[in-house]
Amino acid sequence: MLKTKIKRDVKKDLSQYVTIFLMIFIGIFIYTGINAYMIGMQKSADDYYKENNLQDFNAYGSFKEKDIDTIKNIKNVKDVNAILTLPELASVANKDKHKVRVNYINDNTVSKFYIVKGEKFKKNKNGIWLDYYYAKENCLKIGDILELNYGDVLIKNKIKGFITVPDKVMDVKDETSLIPSHEDYANIYISSKYISRRIMRYQIMKEQNIESKEKFEELMPSFNYKDYIRYNKMIIDVDNKKNIKSVKEEVKKFKRTQAIVDIKNELSYSSYQSEIDEGNSFIGIFSGLFIFIALLSVITTMTRLIKRKRTEIGTLKALGFSKKVITIYYMLENFKLSFWACITGMITGYFVLGKYFIDLEMTYYEIPNYKAGFDIKNIYVSIFSIICVLIFTYLSTRKILKLNAAETLRAERPKVNIKSIEMTKSGIFERLSFSDRWNIRDILRNKMRTFMGFAGIIGCMILLVCAFGIKDTIDEYLKVQFNKLNNYEYKINIPEEVSEEELNHLYTKYGDKTSKSVQVEIAVNDKIISNNIFITNAGDLVRFMDENNNYLTIKDGVYITRKLAQNEGYKIGDKIKWHIYGSDKYYETKIIGFNKDPQNQNITMNKKYYESLGLKYIPDSLYTNKDLKNVTNIKGILSFQSKDELKTGVDTMLDVMKSMIAIISFVAVFLCIIIIYNIGVLSFAEKNYQFATLKVLGFNNSKISKIFLKQNIWISICATIIGIPIGIFVVKKIFISALSAEYDFEIKISFLSLLVSTLITLLTAFLVSKVLGLKIRKIDMVSSLKGNE
């Protein structure tokens, strides 16, 4: 009998059951999908790093072949590989814009190649191991001959394998590039046994400013190139994580070591990890908000739905069913509904949303065999949701079952609040129309129903304000970075070994507005933190802003970005102690001001002050407003980029976030419609008796529909007004908790976004009320009025 009743109940209240299912489904779908994406990114990287033996840290310097064994013999060092990375990018023959970074390695036991296709690396085998993504973009095959122009040297070799490398997960041309450019840039690896004499001759000629090969042969007639091979990087694997610090100290003492950088501070690792860390807190708040709002609406709906079944519960009780059986019946009914909603939400969240986001993200990162991840927290959240539904089902059912059978067989009498009636008869209320006074009395008489309506609509408003607010904040960041701070059209990246003659040539042709970035270690109390100093000689082509968004002139002294000052507790007048990587000399400089930068938190000084410290200024960037649109190559420079290309790069990096915001906005609107529709349906059902009474008193359908519409619009307007500041507050909390120490975004929510969020909410409430208002003419007055006799 009860099984048959379940089918009838579902058929009778199908719209309520569908909305309950959808609300639980959407909450779990969003939570599981985003969780699957973030966990998948982390687990895929962790597995990749572990299986391919990612190094613990890098030592930079000028190392000889014999130094490899010396460092390998340091206590607790597990393994060491040496790399000579050629300082200039090589050009691919017949493809001027295609650049390749050439790496000669002595072995590949640390940060081992993942072989996508082709042969495994062997140190005694000649050939090129090429980045798989570049090969894929350019339709290259194993066995193809790759021709490269490195200065005046031709490097020509056969491709032996397509690879990905654990310490090149984020593989960019240089630190000024924001996203990988797989179609025209790659790293290649060759065994160091096959470094050619021509390569070493070219390097020495560059370093010693020898102009011709003839002059070189005259100066160095017995040149043995193997004696001049110097590896500029050692990648070091330590036997245990707890020994990393002591090993770093020992390597640091080695005379040829210039700098030591933990792998976690390298661009590839840190960029990938910061994406995960920001996403975890950023999206965690958002998905948690979805779960909370959906669950709140579900509990409200479930409670009111059972309350409507008062007479059915009374009938079952009168037929002899025990309280326990009746309670279990309703709990079982709602358990099945919430269980299947959670199951379908988890499955589709993982396979649809999670897979979509991680596929999109991995277009920028080089991790093979990645996949979305599943976390036990998804099951915990689902169980929690089901338990909440069961608890409130139990409480609602038991509340009705406490009454005797005679009472439960009668519909609940509308509560008459004498005070509210008296209040609406006097003062300002006396001037109001009947419909206004009726609605005020109904709101005061049904405070819980009104509150739940408020809560649901406020929740929808918060979600919409958050979605649009995040988009506006990102747009504001792009505006500040590329329209206000970057006041140039092109940025030219200058190599470290540039000659004075080449610099003067660049100055003559493109102007002398330059900058330099140096990697430093800052001593803060008992810890050492890595950062960089930006030395500007760029005039107004690179601008700075103070904390009040006014343009700032960099005077003689040290400026600290606002976010860095907050993180480390710096004040104006404090002195900071720092040294440049590769030098043991510390400088103690005074902070004279703060500047604000949305993207980089660092130290800034001008060229004059930098040189006053006894340091030599050789720029690494030149800024110009000359038109380089048709220029394909500039002699003696690494690369150049237009401001539009840099902005496109940032836009591309934000594509995942924008897609996520678009999907969340769509789902938020959908959830908003469901919640408002559900609130409207339940409110209408609970007012059947009052509407039937109004009909008997002579009110026509149109008048009653306007009364119903007016109350819903009142509630929606009030809830929207309350939801706006709460939504703004949540956006601020999201950015405060989610952004890493590298970013300092100005929270921006435009009036248009608030207006659109408000219109979506109010329009939804209006349309739902209008649709439900059509049902007034279908009210059965006899059954509605007889139910309370």
Side-chain angles (χ1 to χ4, degrees), residues 57 75-77 238 243-251:
F57 64 91
K75 186 180 178 182
N76 301 125
V77 170
V238 180
N243 296 322
I244 291 175
K245 186 176 179 181
S246 62
V247 173
K248 283 165 71 175
E249 290 300 320
E250 289 299 316
V251 175

Side-chain angles (χ1 to χ4, degrees), residues 222-240:
S222 57
F223 173 64
N224 183 359
Y225 75 96
K226 290 184 180 180
D227 294 338
Y228 290 86
I229 293 174
R230 299 289 185 272
Y231 296 100
N232 45 27
K233 183 165 78 170
M234 294 281 190
I235 57 176
I236 302 169
D237 183 29
V238 180
D239 60 1
N240 195 303

Side-chain angles (χ1 to χ4, degrees), residues 6 10 17 20-21 24-25 298 302 305-306 309 326-344 346 379 382-394 397:
I6 287 177
V10 171
Y17 282 109
I20 290 169
F21 180 91
I24 298 174
F25 168 81
V298 166
M302 202 73 79
L305 189 60
I306 289 174
K309 295 185 178 184
I326 296 170
T327 304
I328 291 173
Y329 161 72
Y330 282 103
M331 287 180 69
L332 184 62
E333 183 182 72
N334 292 333
F335 169 77
K336 288 180 179 178
L337 183 66
S338 54
F339 174 80
W340 286 113
C342 288
I343 291 295
T344 52
M346 280 194 289
I379 296 175
S382 296
I383 291 172
F384 174 75
S385 302
I386 293 169
I387 288 172
C388 286
V389 169
L390 293 179
I391 288 172
F392 279 89
T393 302
Y394 172 81
T397 308

Side-chain angles (χ1 to χ4, degrees), residues 52-64:
N52 294 277
N53 196 26
L54 180 70
Q55 68 264 38
D56 292 301
F57 64 91
N58 296 326
Y60 294 92
S62 181
F63 306 99
K64 295 181 178 180

Side-chain angles (χ1 to χ4, degrees), residues 455-665:
I457 297 172
I458 287 171
C460 296
M461 194 63 191
I462 291 170
L463 287 174
L464 292 171
V465 170
C466 281
F468 287 115
I470 291 169
K471 178 185 176 298
D472 285 346
T473 299
I474 291 171
D475 289 343
E476 179 67 12
Y477 151 67
L478 293 172
K479 180 180 175 183
V480 169
Q481 189 68 44
F482 293 101
N483 293 352
K484 294 183 179 179
L485 299 182
N486 295 351
N487 192 35
Y488 56 83
E489 290 303 318
Y490 286 88
K491 179 181 180 181
I492 298 172
N493 303 310
I494 303 170
E496 188 177 348
E497 66 282 356
V498 66
S499 67
E500 190 171 339
E501 182 186 344
E502 287 170 328
L503 264 181
N504 290 330
H505 174 72
L506 288 172
Y507 292 161
T508 302
K509 200 164 185 180
Y510 303 110
D512 61 353
K513 305 299 184 184
T514 60
S515 72
K516 176 183 179 68
S517 290
V518 294
Q519 295 297 311
V520 297
E521 286 186 328
I522 307 170
V524 182
N525 299 323
D526 296 329
K527 64 179 181 178
I528 299 292
I529 61 172
S530 297
N531 208 299
N532 71 82
I533 298 177
F534 183 81
I535 304 106
T536 179
N537 189 41
D540 67 346
L541 294 189
V542 176
R543 298 190 289 209
F544 302 87
M545 293 196 307
D546 62 20
E547 296 177 272
N548 299 314
N549 297 328
N550 298 315
Y551 289 119
L552 175 71
T553 301
I554 301 298
K555 299 176 182 177
D556 295 346
V558 168
Y559 290 78
I560 300 284
T561 49
R562 178 183 69 169
K563 184 79 173 281
L564 180 61
Q566 289 173 354
N567 292 339
E568 302 300 335
Y570 292 129
K571 299 184 294 294
I572 291 177
D574 286 353
K575 289 187 175 181
I576 58 169
K577 192 176 179 182
W578 53 272
H579 77 93
I580 298 172
Y581 277 134
S583 170
D584 293 330
K585 184 177 180 181
Y586 272 88
Y587 300 87
E588 199 166 343
T589 50
K590 186 178 180 181
I591 300 171
I592 64 168
F594 296 147
N595 65 295
K596 189 169 71 173
D597 191 310
Q599 187 170 322
N600 299 300
Q601 307 313 311
N602 57 6
I603 302 168
T604 300
M605 60 180 70
N606 62 29
K607 176 189 173 185
K608 180 182 174 184
Y609 183 74
Y610 182 75
E611 290 181 329
S612 74
L613 299 173
L615 295 164
K616 187 176 181 181
Y617 177 84
I618 300 175
D620 57 23
S621 299
L622 185 148
Y623 308 92
T624 183
N625 286 323
K626 292 277 183 74
D627 187 5
L628 304 179
K629 191 179 294 182
N630 298 318
V631 177
T632 58
N633 202 9
I634 299 175
K635 185 179 178 182
I637 66 105
L638 284 173
S639 60
F640 64 91
Q641 298 155 307
S642 70
K643 185 168 71 171
D644 289 340
E645 286 174 333
L646 291 169
K647 187 175 180 181
T648 301
V650 174
D651 275 332
T652 305
M653 282 297 289
L654 294 172
D655 277 349
V656 176
M657 187 179 290
K658 288 177 180 178
S659 298
M660 199 174 292
I661 290 168
I663 290 173
I664 288 173
S665 300

